[in-house]
Amino acid sequence: MKDLTAPQSFRPEIEGLRAIAVTGVVAFHFGLTELSGGFAGVDIFFVISGYLITSHLQREIAERGTVDLWRFYARRARRLLPASLLVILATLLVGYFILAPSEHQLYSKGALFASAYVINLWLIRWSFDYFAPDVADNPFLHYWSLSVEEQFYLAWPALLLLLAWLRPGPRGTATLMAIAGAISFGFCAWLTEVAQPWAFYFSPLRAWEFAAGGLASLAVTQRWAEGFRFSPALAWTGLALIATAYLILTEDGAFPGFAALLPVAGTVLVLLGTARRSRVGAAGLLGNELFQWVGRLSYSLYLWHWPVIVYATILKPDLTAVDRFACLALTVALSALSYRLVENPIRHSPWLSAGSGRSLGFAALITTIGVTVAYGSADLSGRNVDDQQRFVRESAERKSVAREADDSCVARLETDEPFPCDLGAARSHRTMVLFGDSHADHWSTPLARIAKDRGWRLVAYLKGACPMARVPVWSASLKRKFDECDRWRERAMREIVSLKPAIVVVSQFSQHYAQNAVETQFYHPVDQESWAEGVKSSLGTLRQAGTDVVLLRDVPLHKTDLGKCVARALWQRRPSSACDTPRAEALDQGIHETEKAAVAGVNGVRYVDTSEMLCDDSNCPAVIDGKLTYRDRQHLAVSYADSLAVPLERAIFGERRAGISSDEAVRSR
């Protein structure tokens, strides 16, 4: 087996590939929209890791017949852990002053999992929860890829040792490695379509990318590449594939799956096309001084860039191009310092390198420090939650009446069977139906009060991210067309019509599904003409029961998560009004007019403008009458929604029932 791997020496083109990888990731996270697929830089890192680790381990197996695992892990620990711990500690420290205590407590737990290199498993849990905290604010989110790599380092040597024991020969080794990679890719491609977070975060489903790099490192592959007549063209083709991935992939697409083949295949081709160690062509480009400098800093750049941009965005949600350039400069400065003072000195420390035991003991110490400090940070932040912070947190976390009654009342993403949720009076000959997505759910609390006061039955048909309007919907969570929504909607409307209710109240997140001037970050919105047709079509179906239908205007969309923003403002001793959003920036007038016109075309349907309950003439406050108005950017906080029972009843029925006290109808600004 002595000829399984090619001779190992420094490969400047690999340093250049690292530069391309980290540049894509940083550019994507810093908002360079032209590189919409820059996140694929992580996949380049995975392939490079597979290439280098397999090359090193196979060479050692060929020379010694085995692998000194302790020595292997000692090198990995010296290379990765010190800089990782530094960034974790610095991020926790800065976050203590920026994040609200409850928020810092949650993300400190993320730091704990990051320190133990299992944060990817923690993130899978949150990814399937529609109401989970926004991961974009998690300053430790990027550690998921480092966790995947560390888990690869634990499993891959065992596979290579097994192959060495089996002695299948050079071609047999390549074949078995290819089979392992193919199995991993098959499951990855399948789960990308049905359970994308597993495909994205779970290390066995990313193993095929490391295996691709491993295959490229084998001597049988390298000899082919060196002897291939058009070998230099391979590298240029690979760079073209990487560039294509950066330019055409988007975060709303199904990824990794088949889409990840672009950056993975591109990286493999570059590695093979530069196997001759040429100093011209693509290898010459990758070997230039700028690429080499960025490549050397790539690990530190990756560690620092994410907390820098996350905290900057929290402090100033509307970052300008100048602001982002300043963030980039800060990232580079921090990376250069940590590389010079921490990463490189410890990596090459003579004392630590003298014995594997020293390095592994040092690694155990670093991991223990990270876990302990993160745990202590979470405990300290929990102690900082005073009555005001607790009130904001509880207001943001309080469940609606529908979700409190049964979590199934808001149908899960993969569900297409309606679940009629009974609220209001237990028995009644009159029924009110609430129909729509999560923007209907937040009205379930005041509507349940209204129904109970009137002695009516309230039945809710709710599904998150699924509008009442018959329009195609893209699921950002599932990364695909939301077919379950289409099926659920039709079945729910048939059931509603069969109930023959007295009234149907409809609400939906219009500014998510239709093109508008307020929110342009959502995926695949339809044009307003299609939206109007979709709204009109569904309203016409609901009217088949001869029932009255009320369409509520969508609530204003705030510029930031109010639950977090108000809590941060309190912690930083700023007024809650800092979280207010101007009315013109929160409400799209075009959708308002479109829906009014659609309603006007269907007899028996009324349109109710709820904006006066949430905004004055110029402003949409974060806090009204001491109550948090929203739990995030778009969903009403339950306690505030509950206070709107009287004005909502008046808007729907044109009267106020005596069962609800009159002082609840008065809201002072």
Side-chain angles (χ1 to χ4, degrees):
M1 295 181 66
K2 290 185 178 180
D3 64 344
L4 281 177
T5 55
Q8 179 70 14
S9 60
F10 176 71
R11 298 278 303 272
E13 64 275 9
I14 291 180
E15 207 77 281
L17 270 175
R18 287 193 179 110
I20 290 175
V22 79
T23 298
V25 173
V26 173
F28 172 72
H29 286 151
F30 276 49
L32 185 61
T33 56
E34 288 78 7
L35 295 183
S36 62
F39 56 84
V42 170
D43 303 84
I44 298 175
F45 279 127
F46 287 167
V47 177
I48 292 173
S49 291
Y51 181 92
L52 293 176
I53 297 304
T54 305
S55 177
H56 166 78
L57 294 175
Q58 286 286 75
R59 187 176 69 254
E60 186 172 348
I61 291 171
E63 293 173 354
R64 301 175 61 236
T66 187
V67 172
D68 186 343
L69 290 176
W70 300 122
R71 186 165 169 263
F72 169 74
Y73 291 129
R75 284 197 301 268
R76 292 295 88 204
R78 292 196 305 272
R79 168 76 172 87
L80 300 175
L81 269 60
S84 173
L85 176 66
L86 173 65
V87 174
I88 286 174
L89 296 181
T91 304
L92 284 172
L93 178 62
V94 175
Y96 181 84
F97 300 100
I98 294 177
L99 302 172
S102 293
E103 193 178 12
H104 194 249
Q105 182 182 32
L106 172 65
Y107 295 143
S108 293
K109 295 176 183 176
L112 188 154
F113 288 106
S115 299
Y117 286 94
V118 290
I119 194 172
N120 58 321
L121 305 179
W122 187 65
L123 290 169
I124 290 173
R125 171 195 172 193
W126 293 113
S127 298
F128 286 100
D129 185 353
Y130 180 79
F131 297 98
D134 187 357
V135 294
D137 286 343
N138 183 348
F140 302 101
L141 174 67
H142 62 317
Y143 274 82
W144 76 267
S145 65
L146 304 181
S147 296
V148 169
E149 287 216 23
E150 287 296 321
Q151 291 157 23
F152 163 75
Y153 297 147
L154 290 175
W156 197 247
L159 175 63
L160 295 182
L161 285 172
L162 174 63
L163 291 176
W165 179 73
L166 293 173
R167 296 184 180 181
R171 294 186 183 277
T173 296
T175 300
L176 291 174
M177 196 177 291
I179 290 172
I183 292 171
S184 170
F185 175 75
F187 280 104
C188 177
W190 171 57
L191 284 171
T192 296
E193 298 297 327
V194 300
Q196 188 265 349
W198 279 99
F200 193 90
Y201 289 122
F202 195 43
S203 51
L205 303 181
R206 289 295 191 126
W208 67 275
E209 301 185 43
F210 297 95
L215 281 167
S217 77
L218 298 180
V220 63
T221 315
Q222 292 278 293
R223 283 198 301 269
W224 172 84
E226 290 172 2
F228 183 53
R229 181 179 178 183
F230 301 104
S231 182
L234 294 178
W236 287 114
T237 303
L239 290 175
L241 289 177
I242 291 172
T244 302
Y246 279 10
L247 292 171
I248 71 169
L249 294 180
T250 60
E251 61 181 321
D252 63 323
F255 195 88
F258 286 97
L261 288 172
L262 269 177
V264 170
T267 307
V268 168
L269 289 177
V270 172
L271 291 170
L272 294 177
T274 56
R276 294 176 178 176
R277 315 294 199 271
S278 172
R279 295 183 179 274
V280 297
L285 172 66
L286 294 172
N288 75 59
E289 290 186 8
L290 178 60
F291 276 66
Q292 295 300 294
W293 181 75
V294 175
R296 282 193 297 274
L297 291 182
S298 60
Y299 181 55
S300 290
L301 287 167
Y302 184 82
L303 288 173
W304 283 109
H305 85 283
W306 182 248
V308 166
I309 196 64
V310 165
Y311 286 155
T313 305
I314 288 173
L315 293 172
K316 187 180 180 184
D318 300 319
L319 292 175
T320 64
V322 174
D323 296 329
R324 294 178 189 276
F325 183 80
C327 289
L328 178 61
L330 176 60
T331 298
V332 172
L334 290 171
S335 301
L337 283 172
S338 66
Y339 176 79
R340 184 177 181 82
L341 301 178
V342 176
E343 182 183 338
N344 216 36
I346 294 177
R347 178 185 181 185
H348 299 294
S349 166
W351 186 84
L352 289 174
S353 302
S356 299
R358 292 180 181 182
S359 293
L360 293 174
F362 183 62
L365 176 63
I366 285 180
T367 302
T368 301
I369 290 173
V371 169
T372 303
V373 172
Y375 181 85
S377 175
D379 182 68
L380 176 61
S381 297
R383 296 174 188 272
N384 289 333
V385 179
D386 57 19
D387 289 341
Q388 282 188 310
Q389 290 285 340
R390 191 171 295 106
F391 175 75
V392 173
R393 183 182 68 185
E394 290 173 354
S395 296
E397 292 178 350
R398 183 181 165 190
K399 292 183 177 181
S400 66
V401 164
R403 288 196 293 130
E404 186 69 36
D406 190 327
D407 278 336
S408 299
C409 284
V410 181
R412 299 186 182 279
L413 291 177
E414 297 85 354
T415 301
D416 56 16
E417 286 294 332
F419 180 83
C421 191
D422 274 303
L423 308 167
R427 293 185 180 87
S428 176
H429 64 284
R430 305 202 75 182
T431 299
M432 182 193 320
V433 167
L434 173 62
F435 178 45
D437 56 15
S438 61
H439 281 217
D441 171 48
H442 60 205
W443 291 114
S444 67
T445 301
L447 285 174
R449 292 191 65 193
I450 294 169
K452 187 174 182 180
D453 180 63
R454 288 175 168 262
W456 285 20
R457 177 190 180 202
L458 174 64
V459 181
Y461 284 87
L462 307 168
K463 183 174 177 64
C466 182
M468 169 276 297
R470 283 189 174 110
V471 294
V473 179
W474 180 270
S475 172
S477 298
L478 299 175
K479 304 293 184 184
R480 59 174 171 79
K481 187 175 180 296
F482 199 5
D483 295 320
E484 292 89 340
C485 173
D486 295 336
R487 294 192 295 268
W488 178 89
R489 182 193 304 117
E490 297 307 314
R491 292 168 181 172
M493 287 198 293
R494 284 198 297 270
E495 289 191 17
I496 292 170
V497 170
S498 68
L499 284 175
K500 299 190 180 302
I503 189 170
V504 177
V505 179
V506 180
S507 182
Q508 55 195 343
F509 190 3
S510 302
Q511 293 175 152
H512 173 87
Y513 310 111
Q515 294 172 357
N516 62 92
V518 169
E519 182 54 74
T520 58
Q521 300 301 312
F522 294 124
Y523 306 128
H524 306 288
V526 300
D527 59 68
Q528 294 210 13
E529 182 179 351
S530 298
W531 180 248
E533 288 301 315
V535 169
K536 190 173 179 179
S537 174
S538 292
L539 291 176
T541 297
L542 293 171
R543 276 290 296 158
Q544 290 176 5
T547 184
D548 291 334
V549 179
V550 172
L551 174 62
L552 302 180
R553 181 181 184 179
D554 192 18
V555 297
L557 183 64
H558 279 269
K559 61 185 178 183
T560 188
D561 183 314
L562 295 192
K564 293 179 179 179
C565 185
V566 172
R568 291 169 188 160
L570 290 171
W571 177 242
Q572 299 163 11
R573 305 195 185 286
R574 295 183 294 123
S576 62
S577 58
C579 303
D580 295 355
T581 301
R583 182 184 177 104
E585 297 177 18
L587 287 163
D588 184 83
Q589 190 64 21
I591 289 182
H592 174 56
E593 297 299 332
T594 294
E595 291 184 341
K596 281 179 66 177
V599 166
V602 184
N603 292 328
V605 181
R606 288 184 297 112
Y607 184 76
V608 169
D609 187 348
T610 60
S611 63
E612 299 307 314
M613 306 177 196
L614 304 163
C615 307
D616 56 30
D617 290 341
S618 61
N619 198 42
C620 299
V623 175
I624 296 177
D625 289 349
K627 291 184 174 66
L628 181 72
T629 54
Y630 282 58
R631 62 178 178 83
D632 49 25
R633 289 186 65 204
Q634 48 165 305
H635 297 99
L636 296 177
V638 172
S639 57
Y640 185 69
D642 194 32
S643 73
L644 299 178
V646 169
L648 182 63
E649 183 178 23
R650 183 181 295 115
I652 294 174
F653 295 101
E655 58 181 289
R656 180 179 61 80
R657 301 288 295 177
I660 302 176
S661 59
S662 59
D663 60 343
E664 288 178 282
V666 180
R667 299 185 300 113
S668 60
R669 301 277 181 193

